Amino acid sequence: MSSNGTGNTAIVAVSKPGAELARRLASTLPDSQLHLERRAGESAGNDARLYDLPLRPVLQDLFETCDALVVFLPIGAAVRLLAPVLGTKKQDPAVVCVDDAGRYAISVLSGHVGGADALAHRVAAAIGAQPIVTSASDALGVTAVDLVGRESGWRIEATPTDLTRAAAAVVNGRPVALWLDTDTRVPWPQDAPLSDNIVIVDTLIDTADPYYDAALLVSDRLLSSNTARPTVTYRPPTLVAGIGCRRGVTMEHIRRLLTDTLRDRGLSLQSLAKIATIDIKADEPGIISLADSLEVPLEIYSGAELNAIASQRDSAPTDHHGMNLPTPSAAQDLLGVFGVSEPAALLAAGTNRLLIPRTKSDRATVSVTRIANRPINSN
């Protein structure tokens, strides 16, 4: 199972004391499922799912189907029961163990990626326990390299080895370079304070300085890889793709056009924030499937909204940051609108500059904008 959050949380208890605490916890976690051993949960009410022993198959099934588990068991027992189904930290759900006295909420598995560390704090706050988190970055109060930007939808590009070595460099206090792309213009997240050993550098070339043990890059552009040291590239969701197409075009066709268009202009598909189109294409299977496959929202605009962009053409400025407002397309005759991909992209990005003007295949058009710039800061 791929876990990227703790929205679908199973709370499991065996004993009566554990069941009492589990009920309290479930009342504070709206997306949770309460699972109680039948005898311990006889008076739990209709909101609890009762199970019969043995516990092993119950726990292993929940491990495979849920985003997170809060188990009222000793750590040793939980680990032994789950050992046969353990995978990797990118696959396994978060697991938090709580003792039957409710004294400790312990992050056991998938602390960072799965969210067990954060869940342990939530559980502890709900039942008056002490959270126990042993992740190095949490314990030392340093930047968690694998969590930066997660709440803002950032994606990470790095080999597992580079990610581990960069995180180790931060934890060990070694100098690490941080480069914020001035074209992308995305600030460092407020919820990820910079460790003292992370140094903001002015240029990408500066990250190659032998002084640094690792490099952290924030950009929506394709960059030349720096093989001399571990490198982690963060892809913030800054790009918007406006899409127009003929009826029945396949998802594969549109994706290929979009991918090639971004690559040819040196931009990363991983930084795509959303897709936009006209309302009469809102039910187009190819566009819907593309948004689903890329895990980005699809924004829909009416013909009147798209046509309103045309009235701004003459007054909009141009500069080196991008192309200007849209040019008329065949959609004016076919759909009664000035254009689809360009004005849709502009509207969805909240900008008046096109980063990539309308690019066509025989069945689709793609235009790309960058979401309105924000000032860069260091915190």
Side-chain angles (χ1 to χ4, degrees), residues 5 42 59 62 80 116 125 131 202 225 259 302 351 357 361 367:
E42 288 176 346
L59 207 58
L62 292 172
R80 288 189 178 91
D202 294 329
S225 61
T259 302
S302 68
T351 184
S361 71
S367 303

Side-chain angles (χ1 to χ4, degrees), residues 17-342:
E20 290 294 328
L21 290 168
R23 281 195 287 268
R24 284 173 49 193
L25 176 61
S27 68
T28 70
L29 297 178
D31 294 324
S32 62
Q33 305 167 3
L34 181 59
H35 298 262
L36 304 177
E37 194 275 328
R38 187 171 302 280
R39 289 171 296 180
E42 288 176 346
S43 61
N46 296 331
D47 58 336
R49 303 183 184 186
L50 304 182
Y51 66 86
D52 297 307
L53 297 174
L55 178 59
R56 183 184 300 273
V58 175
L59 207 58
Q60 290 183 1
D61 180 66
L62 292 172
F63 187 87
E64 295 286 353
T65 58
C66 293
D67 293 326
L69 289 175
V70 179
V71 187
F72 286 80
L73 282 175
I75 291 179
V79 170
R80 288 189 178 91
L81 290 171
L82 293 174
V85 291
L86 295 183
T88 69
K89 65 180 182 180
K90 289 189 176 181
Q91 297 174 315
D92 291 345
V95 176
V96 171
C97 280
V98 184
D99 62 284
D100 279 342
R103 291 175 296 180
Y104 305 107
I106 307 168
S107 173
V108 179
L109 288 174
S110 298
H112 276 176
V113 177
D117 292 350
L119 182 59
H121 285 280
R122 290 184 65 187
V123 171
I127 64 174
Q130 178 180 345
I132 304 295
V133 177
T134 58
S135 299
S137 58
D138 189 280
L140 298 174
V142 299
T143 303
V145 172
D146 56 348
L147 290 185
V148 171
R150 182 174 180 178
E151 295 301 316
S152 301
W154 290 20
R155 296 177 178 177
I156 293 179
E157 284 185 6
T159 66
T161 299
D162 275 7
L163 187 59
T164 299
R165 290 179 177 176
V170 173
V171 168
N172 291 324
R174 302 298 302 165
V176 174
L178 167 63
W179 178 67
L180 301 167
D181 191 339
T182 54
D183 280 350
T184 302
R185 294 194 63 80
V186 172
W188 189 255
Q190 294 283 347
D191 59 355
L194 287 177
S195 301
D196 292 339
N197 56 316
I198 298 178
V199 181
I200 298 177
V201 298
D202 294 329
T203 70
L204 182 59
I205 295 175
D206 292 336
T207 65
D209 191 317
Y211 170 74
Y212 300 109
D213 279 25
L216 309 179
L217 316 177
V218 181
S219 178
D220 59 15
R221 294 189 294 146
L222 300 177
L223 307 169
S224 299
S225 61
N226 179 4
T227 58
R229 60 192 41 76
T231 300
V232 177
T233 302
Y234 298 102
R235 299 297 190 189
T238 57
L239 304 177
V240 176
I243 294 177
C245 68
R246 294 187 179 183
R247 183 63 64 184
V249 66
T250 65
M251 183 272 285
E252 291 77 14
H253 181 99
I254 306 173
R255 181 165 185 151
R256 184 165 56 251
L257 176 61
L258 174 60
T259 302
D260 292 347
T261 299
L262 290 170
R263 185 196 61 231
D264 292 346
R265 292 296 293 266
L267 296 169
S268 173
L269 182 64
Q270 293 300 307
S271 277
L272 189 68
K274 47 190 166 182
I275 290 172
T277 192
I278 190 171
D279 52 8
I280 62 174
K281 297 295 181 181
D283 62 347
E284 191 65 46
I287 295 179
I288 294 172
S289 297
L290 178 63
D292 289 343
S293 70
L294 296 175
E295 298 182 339
V296 298
L298 174 61
E299 295 197 357
I300 305 299
Y301 296 98
S302 68
E305 289 174 303
L306 300 184
N307 280 336
I309 294 296
S311 65
Q312 303 174 23
R313 294 183 68 230
D314 295 334
S315 60
T318 56
D319 61 29
H320 66 283
H321 288 298
M323 303 294 293
N324 207 348
L325 289 169
T327 54
S329 73
Q332 192 163 17
D333 295 326
L334 296 174
L335 305 176
V337 294
F338 182 79
V340 174
S341 66
E342 290 183 336

